[in-house]
Amino acid sequence: MSVQEINKHAVLPPIISRSDKEFLDSIQRYIITETERVGCNEEGPADEYYIIYRNVFDKVIEYVTAYKSILTSIKKEYDTFIETMKKSQRTAFHLHGKLKVLAAQPTALVYLRRRTLQLEAKMKVVENNSSNIQLQIDKMKQLRVEYDTKKVTYTFSKDPSKPIPGMTLQESINLDALTKYLKRLEDKYAEIKQVMSKKYVPAQRKADLEEEMIGILKQRDVAENLNKDLQFRHQRLQIISYALTSWVESDMSRSFQDCVKRIQKIQDLYGDQNVVEELCEDDPGKAKEAEIMLYYVERFNELISLGEYEKAACVAAKSPRRVLQSIETVNKFKAVGKIRGKPFPLLLFFEAIFSTSNAHKHPVDAELTLEGIKCGLSEKRLDLVINWVTQEKLTFSEEAGDVICDYGEQNTYNKAKCLALAQIIYSDCSLHKKVLLCLCKQGQIHAAMEYIQQFKNLTSSDLMQLIKLCPETELIQCLTKEWNGKPPLLSFGLVILHLFSVDTKNLAIKLLQGINKDAIEHLMMSDPFCSLEKWQEVASTCLQNGFDRLSNEIMSILRSQAGVTEISEEDSTDNLMQHVFW
C-alpha cells in the first residue's frame, strides 16, 4: 500500500473545544493540588487516591451530560466492587486475629495454671502467717493476764554484768533478742544431738547387721530361683489346660494345636498371666470379651501389614482393656519408621491413645507417657506436648520432666515454655528440688523463696546445690537475708567460700563488690551458721582476691566483739569458739 493511500484513510484526532480544554486543565490542576495537599506519594496511600479520583469522576459525570447515565452506572459498579474488597480485607484481618488468639490459648492456659499454683501457695503462706500471729496474740494476752495476777520474780545468773558472747549490750537487754538467741542455741543443741545419734553406731552392731543381711540375701536368691522354676512349670500347664478347655468347648471343630497357639498368642501379647486366666474362665461374657480382643489384635496386625497406620493407631487406642497400648505396640510403630510425605506413624499412635486417655478409668502409664513426650519433641511438636501435659490423663515421671528440660536447653526460643511444663511434671511427682530449679531458671526468685518456706525439709546442702546449678545474684541475696521476718536460710560467708571453691569466682566477686561496711556488719551479727573461724577465712579470701578494704572491715568487726581475739596461723589448730564461750 502506498503512502498516499494510507494518508487517504487516516483519521484526524478530534478537535477539542475551548471549554473542554479548560475543563480538562482544571481537572488536572485539581488532581495535582489535592495530591500534594494530602501528602500522597507515587505508591499510595490507596484510600486517599481513591477519594481524589472519585471526586474527579463525579465532576466528569456532571460535565458530560450526554453520557451521565452510563458513567453513573459504571461508577456505581466500581464503588460496589471497591467496598466489597475493603470488607473482605477487614474480614480477613479479623479472622487472622482470631487465629492468633486460638493458637496462643494452650500457652496461655499453661501460664494461667502456673499462676493459679503460685496464688494458692501464697494464700497458704498468708493463712499460716495469720494463724501464727493469732497464736502469738493469744499467748501475749495470756501472759499479760498472768503478769497482772501474779508477782513476777526474776532470776539472774551468777555474773549478770558479764556480756553474753556474740551479742551486743543493747541486744543483751532486749527480751526479743534474748528469746531468739535462746531459740537458736536450743535448735543448734537439738541438731548436734540428732547428728550424734545418727553419725556414731557401734562397730559390732554394724558387723552383725552385715552378716544378717548376707544370710537373708542368700535365702532370697534361692527362693527366687525356685519361684522362677515353678512359674515356668505352672505357665506350661495352664496353657495346655486352657487350650484343652477351649478345644472341648468348640466341639473339637479346630485342631488342638490351633487352640494352643491362640492361647500362647494372647499370653505373649499381654505379658500378664492374670489376664489370660480371666479370659479363659467359663464365664460366657469374658469369653466374648476374649473374642473381641483377639479381633482387635488381628485387625491391628492386618492394618499394619497393609500400611494403614492411622487406622491402626485408632484401633490400638480403642482396644478393650488397653490391650494394644503397650511398649510392644510402640516397638512395632518404631520399626515402621518415617514415611516420606506422610505423618510419622508413631506420633499418630501417641496422639490417638493420649486423646482418649480421659475416657479410661486409669491414666496412661509412665513408660508410655515418657515415650510419647520423647516422640512429640523429636518431631518438634511442642504444641502437642503442651496439650498432653495440661489436658490429658497421663502418669508423669522424673524422666519425662528431664526430657522436656533438655529440649528447652537445646531450643532457647521455647525454653520458658519447657521450664513451665517441667515444673508441672516435677510438682506432680513431688520433686521439690527440681521445681525450685525450674522457678529460678524462669527468673521467679520470689516464687522460689515462697516455695522454700512452704517446704521446710530442704537442707543447706540442697540450697547450695541450687546455687551451683543456678548461680544468680538475686537468688543468693534472697537466701542470705531475712525473708518475711524469718532468719536467712544460708550463711553469706559460707556461700562466698563455697562460690570460690566451686570455680564461680566471678559471681562471688560481684556479690562482694555490692557490700558496704554496715551491710557486712549486719550479715555477721545475724548469721547463725558461719563461725568466727569461717569469717576469718572469708577475710583471707577477700584479701587474696584484691578486696583489701572489705577484708580489713571484716577483721575490724571480729576484733570489736567482746571476748574475741585474733588467732594467728600458728594457733590455727585451736578452736576459736573456745575463746568466745569459755
Side-chain angles (χ1 to χ4, degrees):
M1 185 181 289
S2 63
V3 176
Q4 293 178 353
E5 291 176 347
I6 293 175
N7 292 335
K8 182 180 178 180
H9 296 284
V11 179
L12 295 174
I15 300 174
I16 302 175
S17 64
R18 183 176 181 181
S19 60
D20 292 341
K21 187 175 182 180
E22 291 176 354
F23 173 75
L24 291 175
D25 292 338
S26 66
I27 289 297
Q28 189 66 30
R29 287 194 301 273
Y30 174 81
I31 292 173
I32 295 172
T33 303
E34 292 299 320
T35 303
E36 293 176 351
R37 182 180 298 175
V38 298
C40 294
N41 53 27
E42 294 180 358
E43 291 81 16
D47 288 339
E48 309 297 341
Y49 271 118
Y50 167 69
I51 293 172
I52 293 171
Y53 283 100
R54 185 180 62 183
N55 295 335
V56 170
F57 206 169
D58 290 334
K59 289 183 179 182
V60 171
I61 292 173
E62 292 296 330
Y63 183 81
V64 185
T65 57
Y67 303 96
K68 185 173 183 179
S69 60
I70 186 64
L71 291 175
T72 302
S73 300
I74 293 172
K75 179 178 179 296
K76 183 177 180 182
E77 291 297 327
Y78 272 108
D79 288 340
T80 304
F81 177 74
I82 292 172
E83 186 62 30
T84 303
M85 288 182 63
K86 287 185 177 181
K87 186 176 180 181
S88 299
Q89 289 179 351
R90 290 194 296 268
T91 304
F93 181 79
H94 179 66
L95 293 176
H96 186 65
K98 280 189 174 181
L99 183 61
K100 284 187 176 180
V101 171
L102 293 175
Q105 279 184 353
T107 304
L109 182 60
V110 172
Y111 285 109
L112 289 174
R113 290 195 173 188
R114 184 178 63 189
R115 184 59 180 164
T116 302
L117 294 174
Q118 293 176 355
L119 293 176
E120 289 176 354
K122 286 188 177 181
M123 287 176 61
K124 291 181 181 178
V125 172
V126 171
E127 290 174 357
N128 292 335
N129 290 340
S130 301
S131 61
N132 292 334
I133 292 171
Q134 187 62 41
L135 290 174
Q136 291 179 4
I137 293 173
D138 296 337
K139 186 177 180 180
M140 292 177 66
K141 287 182 179 179
Q142 185 177 359
L143 291 174
R144 175 59 65 182
V145 172
E146 292 178 357
Y147 179 82
D148 293 338
T149 55
K150 295 181 181 180
K151 183 178 180 181
V152 181
T153 58
Y154 299 94
T155 58
F156 299 95
S157 60
K158 293 181 180 180
D159 190 6
S161 62
K162 186 177 179 181
I164 300 174
M167 298 186 69
T168 62
L169 181 60
Q170 289 79 7
E171 290 176 343
S172 63
I173 60 175
N174 189 332
L175 183 59
D176 294 337
L178 291 171
T179 303
K180 291 182 180 179
Y181 186 75
L182 178 61
K183 180 66 169 58
R184 190 161 63 246
L185 292 177
E186 289 175 349
D187 293 343
K188 193 170 184 179
Y189 172 76
E191 183 180 356
I192 293 173
K193 189 175 180 181
Q194 185 178 6
V195 170
M196 291 281 290
S197 63
K198 292 181 178 179
K199 188 174 181 180
Y200 299 101
V201 180
Q204 184 60 36
R205 176 60 179 164
K206 183 179 179 181
D208 295 339
L209 289 174
E210 287 179 351
E211 186 177 354
E212 184 179 353
M213 182 182 67
I214 292 172
I216 292 174
L217 289 175
K218 289 181 179 179
Q219 294 177 4
R220 185 199 64 181
D221 294 337
V222 173
E224 283 181 350
N225 293 331
L226 180 60
N227 185 35
K228 289 180 181 178
D229 188 25
L230 293 175
Q231 281 183 348
F232 178 71
R233 295 180 183 179
H234 177 72
Q235 184 179 359
R236 285 193 306 175
L237 292 173
Q238 278 207 328
I239 289 175
I240 296 173
S241 174
Y242 296 148
L244 183 60
T245 303
S246 176
W247 184 55
V248 172
E249 288 179 353
S250 63
D251 297 329
M252 303 179 185
S253 58
R254 293 176 297 178
S255 65
F256 182 75
Q257 288 79 2
D258 291 340
C259 293
V260 173
K261 288 180 181 179
R262 288 173 67 88
I263 297 298
Q264 286 180 337
K265 188 176 181 181
I266 295 173
Q267 187 174 12
D268 293 339
L269 181 64
Y270 288 107
D272 187 356
Q273 189 65 24
N274 293 330
V275 176
V276 180
E277 292 175 1
E278 290 180 4
L279 295 180
C280 294
E281 287 180 357
D282 292 336
D283 189 350
K286 291 183 178 179
K288 182 66 175 177
E289 187 177 3
E291 293 180 4
I292 295 173
M293 287 184 178
L294 285 174
Y295 167 75
Y296 270 86
V297 172
E298 292 171 356
R299 179 60 176 164
F300 173 78
N301 292 328
E302 180 184 357
L303 291 172
I304 289 289
S305 62
L306 294 174
E308 299 287 342
Y309 302 115
E310 186 172 0
K311 293 182 180 179
C314 294
V315 169
K318 297 177 182 178
S319 60
R321 296 200 184 190
R322 289 179 169 171
V323 61
L324 291 170
Q325 297 183 23
S326 62
I327 293 298
E328 288 76 13
T329 307
V330 172
N331 293 332
K332 286 187 177 181
F333 278 105
K334 283 183 178 180
V336 174
K338 294 185 178 181
I339 303 174
R340 187 173 182 180
K342 291 186 179 181
F344 189 24
L346 183 59
L347 186 61
L348 293 175
F349 168 70
F350 284 117
E351 283 190 81
I353 65 172
F354 287 165
S355 63
T356 59
S357 60
N358 289 316
H360 293 275
K361 183 178 180 181
H362 300 290
V364 179
D365 61 56
E367 191 174 8
L368 279 180
T369 301
L370 176 60
E371 290 293 332
I373 291 175
K374 286 181 178 179
C375 178
L377 295 179
S378 67
E379 293 298 305
K380 302 186 183 303
R381 292 299 305 274
L382 183 61
D383 55 327
L384 282 179
V385 177
I386 291 174
N387 184 64
W388 294 342
V389 172
T390 57
Q391 301 290 335
E392 308 303 348
K393 195 173 181 180
L394 309 177
T395 303
F396 296 129
S397 62
E398 182 178 1
E399 291 79 7
D402 294 341
V403 168
I404 294 177
C405 281
D406 294 340
Y407 181 81
E409 292 294 335
Q410 298 171 4
N411 299 270
T412 54
Y413 179 77
N414 296 315
K415 185 174 182 180
K417 297 178 183 178
C418 292
L419 288 173
L421 288 178
Q423 180 187 336
I424 294 174
I425 294 175
Y426 291 144
S427 179
D428 187 76
C429 299
S430 299
L431 299 170
H432 306 307
K433 299 176 188 177
K434 294 200 172 183
V435 172
L436 272 177
L437 183 59
C438 289
L439 287 172
C440 293
K441 286 186 176 181
Q442 294 176 79
Q444 300 182 26
I445 305 299
H446 290 271
M449 292 299 298
E450 296 291 344
Y451 195 87
I452 292 173
Q453 297 291 338
Q454 183 180 358
F455 297 98
K456 299 180 180 179
N457 57 346
L458 296 171
T459 63
S460 301
S461 301
D462 297 334
L463 297 179
M464 285 292 191
Q465 184 67 20
L466 177 63
I467 292 175
K468 183 178 179 181
L469 296 174
C470 185
E472 294 291 338
T473 306
E474 184 181 0
L475 173 63
I476 297 174
Q477 291 175 348
C478 291
L479 291 174
T480 55
K481 292 182 180 179
E482 292 186 358
W483 185 267
N484 294 335
K486 295 183 180 180
L489 298 171
L490 289 177
S491 165
F492 180 81
L494 295 179
V495 170
I496 293 295
L497 294 175
H498 177 74
L499 292 177
F500 275 107
S501 65
V502 297
D503 198 19
T504 50
K505 181 178 178 180
N506 294 334
L507 181 60
I509 290 175
K510 186 177 180 181
L511 289 171
L512 293 174
Q513 286 174 344
I515 296 179
N516 54 32
K517 184 175 180 180
D518 296 335
I520 192 64
E521 184 175 3
H522 177 72
L523 287 172
M524 293 176 66
M525 294 299 100
S526 61
D527 193 342
F529 307 104
C530 190
S531 62
L532 299 180
E533 298 100 320
K534 292 295 183 182
W535 278 114
Q536 192 170 6
E537 188 178 346
V538 172
S540 301
T541 305
C542 293
L543 186 61
Q544 294 171 5
N545 290 275
F547 293 93
D548 300 347
R549 180 186 59 80
L550 185 59
S551 175
N552 294 332
E553 289 175 355
I554 294 175
M555 294 304 301
S556 175
I557 295 169
L558 289 175
R559 295 189 189 98
S560 66
Q561 297 302 307
V564 177
T565 60
E566 182 179 357
I567 296 178
S568 62
E569 294 182 359
E570 291 78 7
D571 299 331
S572 59
T573 55
D574 297 331
N575 188 358
L576 182 61
M577 300 307 293
Q578 293 176 359
H579 296 269
V580 179
F581 294 105
W582 307 104

